[in-house]
Amino acid sequence: APTSGANANKVLIPSGHTLDASSGSVNASGGLTTPSGHVIQVVTGTKSSSLQTNSTSLVDTGLSVTITPQFNTSKIFISVSNLGISNNTQYVIHKLLRGSTVISTDAAYNNNSYWMPVNFAMSILDSPATISATTYKTQIRLSNASGDLRYNYFGDGTGTNATITAMEIKQ
């Protein structure tokens, strides 16, 4: 590295060459490149209040996260963790959406006339193919309108700090 002049204290890398930087490399324009398979960023959304519904139409739960991928080839790993209780619901349908597109669905069953716990947990590896801000959210609905669902509900009536985490993984 030159010690004087316009390039003082700079490491110059000729065009077409890279500098090995252990877990990544620095390209000739000075940008750090991350190897494939590494997590680039992690973003988490939380919801601390509960939601009660008996709707047979999809309802937003209020749990969402927005991530802006750095590369349009990145995969986004989404993890949702939440609890609730249901009563005489038959099926509780839980959906994960990217924008308005459903990317995962799961269901829980309770045809009993007493309260039972429901685990609203899911994980998926998504390929949004964009570098634009992307929002992931959850929705729920019941198959039986006479049922009752308390989403993100703890036994004393408070929320349980539901989380949704988005991790960008370089490809």
Side-chain angles (χ1 to χ4, degrees), residues 17-53:
H17 292 68
T18 59
L19 174 66
D20 184 4
S22 298
S23 66
S25 60
V26 179
N27 60 31
S29 61
L32 178 66
T33 60
T34 305
S36 295
H38 285 237
V39 174
I40 298 172
Q41 62 174 316
V42 177
V43 184
T44 299
T46 60
K47 177 179 173 57
S48 59
S49 59
S50 62
L51 169 69
Q52 183 174 357
T53 186

mmCIF file of all heavy atoms in Angstrom, residues 17-53:
data_model
loop_
_atom_site.group_PDB
_atom_site.id
_atom_site.type_symbol
_atom_site.label_atom_id
_atom_site.label_comp_id
_atom_site.label_asym_id
_atom_site.label_seq_id
_atom_site.Cartn_x
_atom_site.Cartn_y
_atom_site.Cartn_z
ATOM 1 N N HIS A 17 -9.603 -9.100 -10.073
ATOM 2 C CA HIS A 17 -8.995 -9.833 -8.972
ATOM 3 C C HIS A 17 -9.806 -9.606 -7.709
ATOM 4 O O HIS A 17 -10.503 -8.609 -7.578
ATOM 5 C CB HIS A 17 -7.557 -9.362 -8.732
ATOM 6 C CG HIS A 17 -6.620 -9.710 -9.836
ATOM 7 N ND1 HIS A 17 -6.701 -9.139 -11.088
ATOM 8 C CD2 HIS A 17 -5.590 -10.576 -9.885
ATOM 9 C CE1 HIS A 17 -5.764 -9.630 -11.849
ATOM 10 N NE2 HIS A 17 -5.065 -10.516 -11.149
ATOM 11 N N THR A 18 -9.726 -10.528 -6.762
ATOM 12 C CA THR A 18 -10.387 -10.358 -5.475
ATOM 13 C C THR A 18 -9.381 -10.581 -4.361
ATOM 14 O O THR A 18 -8.344 -11.216 -4.551
ATOM 15 C CB THR A 18 -11.562 -11.342 -5.286
ATOM 16 O OG1 THR A 18 -11.068 -12.666 -5.379
ATOM 17 C CG2 THR A 18 -12.647 -11.111 -6.318
ATOM 18 N N LEU A 19 -9.693 -10.047 -3.210
ATOM 19 C CA LEU A 19 -8.869 -10.207 -2.023
ATOM 20 C C LEU A 19 -9.599 -11.141 -1.077
ATOM 21 O O LEU A 19 -10.751 -10.886 -0.717
ATOM 22 C CB LEU A 19 -8.646 -8.842 -1.349
ATOM 23 C CG LEU A 19 -7.919 -8.829 -0.019
ATOM 24 C CD1 LEU A 19 -6.469 -9.275 -0.206
ATOM 25 C CD2 LEU A 19 -7.959 -7.441 0.587
ATOM 26 N N ASP A 20 -8.989 -12.244 -0.696
ATOM 27 C CA ASP A 20 -9.617 -13.196 0.216
ATOM 28 C C ASP A 20 -9.767 -12.538 1.582
ATOM 29 O O ASP A 20 -8.803 -12.061 2.152
ATOM 30 C CB ASP A 20 -8.772 -14.460 0.323
ATOM 31 C CG ASP A 20 -9.441 -15.519 1.189
ATOM 32 O OD1 ASP A 20 -10.582 -15.297 1.633
ATOM 33 O OD2 ASP A 20 -8.816 -16.565 1.399
ATOM 34 N N ALA A 21 -10.993 -12.512 2.079
ATOM 35 C CA ALA A 21 -11.272 -11.891 3.379
ATOM 36 C C ALA A 21 -11.903 -12.920 4.315
ATOM 37 O O ALA A 21 -12.884 -12.633 4.991
ATOM 38 C CB ALA A 21 -12.167 -10.673 3.194
ATOM 39 N N SER A 22 -11.385 -14.118 4.355
ATOM 40 C CA SER A 22 -11.847 -15.224 5.206
ATOM 41 C C SER A 22 -13.283 -15.617 4.907
ATOM 42 O O SER A 22 -13.519 -16.512 4.124
ATOM 43 C CB SER A 22 -11.661 -14.902 6.683
ATOM 44 O OG SER A 22 -10.289 -14.720 6.944
ATOM 45 N N SER A 23 -14.265 -14.979 5.536
ATOM 46 C CA SER A 23 -15.653 -15.394 5.337
ATOM 47 C C SER A 23 -16.277 -14.733 4.112
ATOM 48 O O SER A 23 -17.419 -14.973 3.794
ATOM 49 C CB SER A 23 -16.484 -15.077 6.582
ATOM 50 O OG SER A 23 -16.557 -13.691 6.759
ATOM 51 N N GLY A 24 -15.549 -13.908 3.417
ATOM 52 C CA GLY A 24 -16.045 -13.247 2.219
ATOM 53 C C GLY A 24 -14.860 -12.757 1.430
ATOM 54 O O GLY A 24 -13.730 -13.172 1.657
ATOM 55 N N SER A 25 -15.109 -11.891 0.490
ATOM 56 C CA SER A 25 -14.010 -11.303 -0.254
ATOM 57 C C SER A 25 -14.371 -9.874 -0.592
ATOM 58 O O SER A 25 -15.526 -9.473 -0.551
ATOM 59 C CB SER A 25 -13.719 -12.114 -1.515
ATOM 60 O OG SER A 25 -14.853 -12.144 -2.353
ATOM 61 N N VAL A 26 -13.350 -9.097 -0.913
ATOM 62 C CA VAL A 26 -13.535 -7.703 -1.297
ATOM 63 C C VAL A 26 -13.249 -7.612 -2.777
ATOM 64 O O VAL A 26 -12.194 -8.053 -3.242
ATOM 65 C CB VAL A 26 -12.587 -6.772 -0.500
ATOM 66 C CG1 VAL A 26 -12.784 -5.335 -0.927
ATOM 67 C CG2 VAL A 26 -12.802 -6.943 0.993
ATOM 68 N N ASN A 27 -14.178 -7.057 -3.554
ATOM 69 C CA ASN A 27 -13.938 -6.959 -4.981
ATOM 70 C C ASN A 27 -13.193 -5.674 -5.329
ATOM 71 O O ASN A 27 -12.952 -4.836 -4.463
ATOM 72 C CB ASN A 27 -15.253 -7.098 -5.770
ATOM 73 C CG ASN A 27 -16.262 -6.024 -5.430
ATOM 74 O OD1 ASN A 27 -15.897 -4.903 -5.091
ATOM 75 N ND2 ASN A 27 -17.530 -6.366 -5.525
ATOM 76 N N ALA A 28 -12.831 -5.504 -6.600
ATOM 77 C CA ALA A 28 -12.010 -4.379 -7.020
ATOM 78 C C ALA A 28 -12.673 -3.031 -6.763
ATOM 79 O O ALA A 28 -11.985 -2.028 -6.586
ATOM 80 C CB ALA A 28 -11.649 -4.513 -8.494
ATOM 81 N N SER A 29 -13.985 -2.970 -6.709
ATOM 82 C CA SER A 29 -14.659 -1.700 -6.450
ATOM 83 C C SER A 29 -14.832 -1.437 -4.956
ATOM 84 O O SER A 29 -15.433 -0.453 -4.561
ATOM 85 C CB SER A 29 -16.020 -1.670 -7.152
ATOM 86 O OG SER A 29 -16.842 -2.705 -6.661
ATOM 87 N N GLY A 30 -14.293 -2.315 -4.121
ATOM 88 C CA GLY A 30 -14.319 -2.082 -2.681
ATOM 89 C C GLY A 30 -15.492 -2.695 -1.960
ATOM 90 O O GLY A 30 -15.625 -2.562 -0.755
ATOM 91 N N GLY A 31 -16.390 -3.389 -2.670
ATOM 92 C CA GLY A 31 -17.549 -3.996 -2.025
ATOM 93 C C GLY A 31 -17.218 -5.347 -1.427
ATOM 94 O O GLY A 31 -16.422 -6.094 -1.976
ATOM 95 N N LEU A 32 -17.804 -5.661 -0.292
ATOM 96 C CA LEU A 32 -17.613 -6.959 0.345
ATOM 97 C C LEU A 32 -18.586 -7.947 -0.269
ATOM 98 O O LEU A 32 -19.776 -7.673 -0.388
ATOM 99 C CB LEU A 32 -17.862 -6.858 1.855
ATOM 100 C CG LEU A 32 -17.735 -8.152 2.645
ATOM 101 C CD1 LEU A 32 -16.285 -8.638 2.618
ATOM 102 C CD2 LEU A 32 -18.199 -7.973 4.069
ATOM 103 N N THR A 33 -18.091 -9.088 -0.694
ATOM 104 C CA THR A 33 -18.969 -10.128 -1.223
ATOM 105 C C THR A 33 -19.100 -11.233 -0.181
ATOM 106 O O THR A 33 -18.137 -11.590 0.478
ATOM 107 C CB THR A 33 -18.438 -10.701 -2.548
ATOM 108 O OG1 THR A 33 -17.152 -11.257 -2.325
ATOM 109 C CG2 THR A 33 -18.364 -9.632 -3.612
ATOM 110 N N THR A 34 -20.295 -11.734 -0.033
ATOM 111 C CA THR A 34 -20.583 -12.769 0.953
ATOM 112 C C THR A 34 -20.713 -14.111 0.232
ATOM 113 O O THR A 34 -21.383 -14.184 -0.789
ATOM 114 C CB THR A 34 -21.904 -12.446 1.681
ATOM 115 O OG1 THR A 34 -21.797 -11.143 2.237
ATOM 116 C CG2 THR A 34 -22.186 -13.444 2.774
ATOM 117 N N PRO A 35 -20.112 -15.159 0.771
ATOM 118 C CA PRO A 35 -20.229 -16.474 0.124
ATOM 119 C C PRO A 35 -21.655 -17.013 0.162
ATOM 120 O O PRO A 35 -22.440 -16.670 1.044
ATOM 121 C CB PRO A 35 -19.317 -17.376 0.958
ATOM 122 C CG PRO A 35 -18.552 -16.498 1.860
ATOM 123 C CD PRO A 35 -19.261 -15.193 1.947
ATOM 124 N N SER A 36 -21.962 -17.888 -0.770
ATOM 125 C CA SER A 36 -23.273 -18.542 -0.813
ATOM 126 C C SER A 36 -23.519 -19.316 0.472
ATOM 127 O O SER A 36 -22.601 -19.871 1.062
ATOM 128 C CB SER A 36 -23.338 -19.498 -1.999
ATOM 129 O OG SER A 36 -23.249 -18.780 -3.204
ATOM 130 N N GLY A 37 -24.787 -19.338 0.894
ATOM 131 C CA GLY A 37 -25.179 -20.089 2.080
ATOM 132 C C GLY A 37 -25.098 -19.309 3.373
ATOM 133 O O GLY A 37 -25.541 -19.788 4.409
ATOM 134 N N HIS A 38 -24.556 -18.099 3.338
ATOM 135 C CA HIS A 38 -24.431 -17.298 4.557
ATOM 136 C C HIS A 38 -25.657 -16.415 4.768
ATOM 137 O O HIS A 38 -26.273 -15.942 3.818
ATOM 138 C CB HIS A 38 -23.177 -16.431 4.494
ATOM 139 C CG HIS A 38 -21.925 -17.212 4.724
ATOM 140 N ND1 HIS A 38 -21.034 -16.902 5.711
ATOM 141 C CD2 HIS A 38 -21.427 -18.308 4.111
ATOM 142 C CE1 HIS A 38 -20.037 -17.762 5.698
ATOM 143 N NE2 HIS A 38 -20.258 -18.626 4.723
ATOM 144 N N VAL A 39 -26.001 -16.186 6.033
ATOM 145 C CA VAL A 39 -27.095 -15.291 6.376
ATOM 146 C C VAL A 39 -26.587 -13.861 6.255
ATOM 147 O O VAL A 39 -25.580 -13.496 6.865
ATOM 148 C CB VAL A 39 -27.617 -15.564 7.798
ATOM 149 C CG1 VAL A 39 -28.656 -14.529 8.198
ATOM 150 C CG2 VAL A 39 -28.206 -16.971 7.892
ATOM 151 N N ILE A 40 -27.279 -13.055 5.479
ATOM 152 C CA ILE A 40 -26.881 -11.669 5.240
ATOM 153 C C ILE A 40 -27.542 -10.726 6.234
ATOM 154 O O ILE A 40 -26.931 -9.777 6.705
ATOM 155 C CB ILE A 40 -27.245 -11.259 3.800
ATOM 156 C CG1 ILE A 40 -26.484 -12.134 2.810
ATOM 157 C CG2 ILE A 40 -26.962 -9.789 3.563
ATOM 158 C CD1 ILE A 40 -26.912 -11.938 1.383
ATOM 159 N N GLN A 41 -28.808 -10.962 6.533
ATOM 160 C CA GLN A 41 -29.535 -10.105 7.474
ATOM 161 C C GLN A 41 -30.674 -10.888 8.112
ATOM 162 O O GLN A 41 -31.172 -11.848 7.546
ATOM 163 C CB GLN A 41 -30.072 -8.843 6.783
ATOM 164 C CG GLN A 41 -31.065 -9.114 5.674
ATOM 165 C CD GLN A 41 -31.678 -7.843 5.104
ATOM 166 O OE1 GLN A 41 -32.066 -6.940 5.862
ATOM 167 N NE2 GLN A 41 -31.766 -7.758 3.783
ATOM 168 N N VAL A 42 -31.071 -10.427 9.307
ATOM 169 C CA VAL A 42 -32.169 -11.037 10.050
ATOM 170 C C VAL A 42 -33.071 -9.911 10.534
ATOM 171 O O VAL A 42 -32.605 -8.939 11.115
ATOM 172 C CB VAL A 42 -31.657 -11.847 11.261
ATOM 173 C CG1 VAL A 42 -32.822 -12.423 12.059
ATOM 174 C CG2 VAL A 42 -30.696 -12.935 10.823
ATOM 175 N N VAL A 43 -34.371 -10.040 10.270
ATOM 176 C CA VAL A 43 -35.353 -9.038 10.686
ATOM 177 C C VAL A 43 -36.481 -9.779 11.415
ATOM 178 O O VAL A 43 -36.939 -10.818 10.953
ATOM 179 C CB VAL A 43 -35.931 -8.274 9.479
ATOM 180 C CG1 VAL A 43 -36.878 -7.176 9.932
ATOM 181 C CG2 VAL A 43 -34.824 -7.698 8.609
ATOM 182 N N THR A 44 -36.925 -9.239 12.553
ATOM 183 C CA THR A 44 -37.981 -9.883 13.337
ATOM 184 C C THR A 44 -39.131 -8.914 13.591
ATOM 185 O O THR A 44 -38.911 -7.753 13.906
ATOM 186 C CB THR A 44 -37.426 -10.372 14.690
ATOM 187 O OG1 THR A 44 -36.398 -11.326 14.439
ATOM 188 C CG2 THR A 44 -38.502 -11.020 15.536
ATOM 189 N N GLY A 45 -40.347 -9.430 13.451
ATOM 190 C CA GLY A 45 -41.547 -8.693 13.818
ATOM 191 C C GLY A 45 -42.193 -9.382 15.001
ATOM 192 O O GLY A 45 -42.105 -10.605 15.144
ATOM 193 N N THR A 46 -42.824 -8.604 15.876
ATOM 194 C CA THR A 46 -43.479 -9.181 17.048
ATOM 195 C C THR A 46 -44.892 -8.635 17.190
ATOM 196 O O THR A 46 -45.229 -7.580 16.655
ATOM 197 C CB THR A 46 -42.703 -8.881 18.353
ATOM 198 O OG1 THR A 46 -42.625 -7.463 18.526
ATOM 199 C CG2 THR A 46 -41.303 -9.470 18.301
ATOM 200 N N LYS A 47 -45.693 -9.370 17.933
ATOM 201 C CA LYS A 47 -47.053 -8.937 18.289
ATOM 202 C C LYS A 47 -47.274 -9.362 19.722
ATOM 203 O O LYS A 47 -47.110 -10.530 20.060
ATOM 204 C CB LYS A 47 -48.077 -9.589 17.368
ATOM 205 C CG LYS A 47 -49.523 -9.252 17.727
ATOM 206 C CD LYS A 47 -50.483 -9.899 16.757
ATOM 207 C CE LYS A 47 -51.923 -9.728 17.156
ATOM 208 N NZ LYS A 47 -52.375 -8.365 17.319
ATOM 209 N N SER A 48 -47.630 -8.416 20.574
ATOM 210 C CA SER A 48 -47.792 -8.749 21.987
ATOM 211 C C SER A 48 -49.250 -8.762 22.438
ATOM 212 O O SER A 48 -49.539 -9.210 23.531
ATOM 213 C CB SER A 48 -46.989 -7.764 22.857
ATOM 214 O OG SER A 48 -47.426 -6.448 22.622
ATOM 215 N N SER A 49 -50.159 -8.323 21.591
ATOM 216 C CA SER A 49 -51.570 -8.341 21.990
ATOM 217 C C SER A 49 -52.268 -9.559 21.386
ATOM 218 O O SER A 49 -51.824 -10.116 20.385
ATOM 219 C CB SER A 49 -52.278 -7.061 21.525
ATOM 220 O OG SER A 49 -52.190 -6.935 20.122
ATOM 221 N N SER A 50 -53.367 -9.962 21.995
ATOM 222 C CA SER A 50 -54.106 -11.123 21.495
ATOM 223 C C SER A 50 -55.216 -10.670 20.549
ATOM 224 O O SER A 50 -55.569 -9.503 20.490
ATOM 225 C CB SER A 50 -54.680 -11.927 22.653
ATOM 226 O OG SER A 50 -55.588 -11.156 23.392
ATOM 227 N N LEU A 51 -55.747 -11.634 19.800
ATOM 228 C CA LEU A 51 -56.818 -11.378 18.847
ATOM 229 C C LEU A 51 -57.855 -12.484 19.019
ATOM 230 O O LEU A 51 -57.510 -13.667 19.010
ATOM 231 C CB LEU A 51 -56.262 -11.414 17.413
ATOM 232 C CG LEU A 51 -57.278 -11.434 16.269
ATOM 233 C CD1 LEU A 51 -58.000 -10.098 16.171
ATOM 234 C CD2 LEU A 51 -56.569 -11.755 14.966
ATOM 235 N N GLN A 52 -59.115 -12.105 19.178
ATOM 236 C CA GLN A 52 -60.196 -13.086 19.303
ATOM 237 C C GLN A 52 -61.059 -13.000 18.056
ATOM 238 O O GLN A 52 -61.411 -11.902 17.602
ATOM 239 C CB GLN A 52 -61.031 -12.806 20.540
ATOM 240 C CG GLN A 52 -62.125 -13.838 20.749
ATOM 241 C CD GLN A 52 -62.879 -13.648 22.065
ATOM 242 O OE1 GLN A 52 -62.561 -12.769 22.857
ATOM 243 N NE2 GLN A 52 -63.869 -14.471 22.296
ATOM 244 N N THR A 53 -61.397 -14.166 17.474
ATOM 245 C CA THR A 53 -62.215 -14.169 16.261
ATOM 246 C C THR A 53 -63.036 -15.454 16.159
ATOM 247 O O THR A 53 -62.669 -16.474 16.717
ATOM 248 C CB THR A 53 -61.344 -14.009 14.990
ATOM 249 O OG1 THR A 53 -62.198 -13.884 13.843
ATOM 250 C CG2 THR A 53 -60.415 -15.184 14.796
#
